[in-house]
Amino acid sequence: MSRINRLRIINLRYNHDSIQIGDEQFDFNGQNTLMTLRNGGGKTVLVQMMMAPFVHRRYRDLADRPFASYFTSSKPAFILVEWKLDGGGGYVLTGMMVRRSQDTESPEELEITNFIFEYPGGNAMDLEHIPVTEKSPRGEILKGYVQCRQLFDTWKKEPGKPFFCYDMNQPAQARQYFEKLADYDIYYREWEAIIHKVNLEESGLSNLFADCKNESGLVEG
């Protein structure tokens, strides 16, 4: 079974834009991991973002937190999850690039491109190095949505490069994306079952771990 190795979030704002994740990486090393944050620090947001690439659109909302409400500008945000494959089989990067729709006539609130890239080890396109930012005299600058999409389309066409990208507003491509995830034992039904439990009650995320009596129980739960 594939296990989450690392998580990286780029350009995410929440709590009415009062908190921003500019570019943060979380290393789990493929192990059960406990993340502790202060009240209001963003635990629910991190859980929601981590799950978003693995569920259909109606499951992206968490309780009273609509997924679309986090994205208010033309600048893209990235949710990158790297999985460690079984038996030393390398890694697979699952990514979501999302921004507020710029087409005023579109019925879609968001523009979303998901992508999958498999690699044996560290490289110039892994979770840490994927070139969605570029250096400038002012520091690292986030590339635009269209520029990144052009990069993805180029990589997808390179012979022998196991890179795949999908327009998640196109039902056929969204279906292909979830079918590809299943190749790595990543099943949307399992993730959607968790979201369903969380959304049953107002304190669903806390209730999900209500029977865990200590840190060990939380980690293993």
Side-chain angles (χ1 to χ4, degrees), residues 20 37 48 69 78-79 124 160 193:
Q20 178 181 7
L37 288 83
Q48 186 175 10
S69 68
F78 289 87
I79 305 165

Side-chain angles (χ1 to χ4, degrees), residues 125-139:
M125 287 174 51
D126 65 11
L127 175 141
E128 185 174 352
H129 301 103
I130 186 168
V132 296
T133 63
E134 55 190 355
K135 294 186 181 298
S136 79
R138 294 177 294 167

